[in-house]
Amino acid sequence: PRDRCRGPPNRASAEAANLLKLKSFSDVPASFWAREEIEILAALGTMPGYPDDSFKPDDNIKRGELAEILKTPGPVERPQAPATRLEGAIMTVRFANLSGGRVIVSPYPDIPGRHWAAELVTQAKEAGLLKFIGDKFEPKRKLTRAEAAAMLFQTKFVQDKLKNYELDGGGKNVL
């Protein structure tokens, strides 16, 4: 996020911009891999934390919680169940209204080209939503709140919202 979130490039436009005050959390240290994404999404009101000033980044995100954040229409099956990486990627691809992603090569070794969701995973990967994933996708692995934040942050929806703000980290070095 460092290169895309600096805000307006010159002083005149910086003064006219809205200042986005980043939200910090007691359980998200400065060295946490998704700290910037989490603080920005919370400041935008897109993915808030909890009333006790925590975000619980390593907790599994529930299917219903993710559906609410992504404004998924209709009822969600098993809303209290943890979302998997595959479910999270599919929901975020649909939220971001991505298309394309024709499968030429398997997106990950554990998602073969013939997998029913290979096209959606390919779309997510090509759009940069899965930057946090290493060599294996692990489709059945539970999706954490931090991973969900990292995916959501990369969407056009969030990036378009950020264009209206100058970031303020409360004196700390941000983006």
Side-chain angles (χ1 to χ4, degrees):
R2 292 186 188 283
D3 295 333
R4 294 187 292 185
C5 300
R6 291 184 193 255
N10 61 50
R11 185 172 173 78
S13 61
E15 290 171 5
N18 293 322
L19 195 60
L20 182 64
K21 178 115 174 93
L22 299 183
K23 169 76 175 122
S24 60
F25 295 97
S26 58
D27 59 347
V28 181
S31 61
F32 191 74
W33 69 271
R35 177 190 58 84
E36 294 166 344
E37 293 91 336
I38 290 168
E39 290 180 355
I40 290 169
L41 290 174
L44 290 172
T46 305
M47 192 171 179
Y50 293 96
D52 66 354
D53 198 31
S54 69
F55 188 82
K56 301 179 177 136
D58 295 321
D59 282 7
N60 296 331
I61 192 164
K62 293 182 175 86
R63 293 165 50 92
E65 182 182 11
L66 186 59
E68 184 177 323
I69 291 166
L70 298 177
K71 302 180 183 2
T72 303
V76 176
E77 287 185 36
R78 303 181 349 253
Q80 294 302 314
T84 65
R85 278 186 169 180
L86 182 60
E87 292 167 333
I90 290 169
M91 290 171 78
T92 307
V93 162
R94 290 179 177 156
F95 169 79
N97 211 14
L98 298 177
S99 60
R102 198 173 124 234
V103 180
I104 297 170
V105 178
S106 298
Y108 293 95
D110 53 348
I111 300 285
R114 66 185 177 283
H115 188 280
W116 68 270
E119 187 174 318
L120 293 166
V121 173
T122 299
Q123 289 170 0
K125 186 176 182 180
E126 288 176 354
L129 303 181
L130 305 176
K131 291 180 180 181
F132 63 93
I133 292 183
D135 295 335
K136 290 189 175 184
F137 183 70
E138 301 176 86
K140 293 182 181 179
R141 181 175 172 171
K142 303 297 185 248
L143 184 70
T144 67
R145 288 178 48 80
E147 291 170 336
M151 280 196 294
L152 180 58
F153 184 84
Q154 298 300 330
T155 64
K156 184 177 182 321
F157 172 80
V158 171
Q159 294 304 311
D160 284 350
K161 276 182 133 181
L162 279 176
K163 290 177 184 174
N164 299 317
Y165 292 99
E166 170 80 14
L167 298 180
D168 175 20
K172 58 185 172 181
N173 184 17
V174 275
L175 311 176

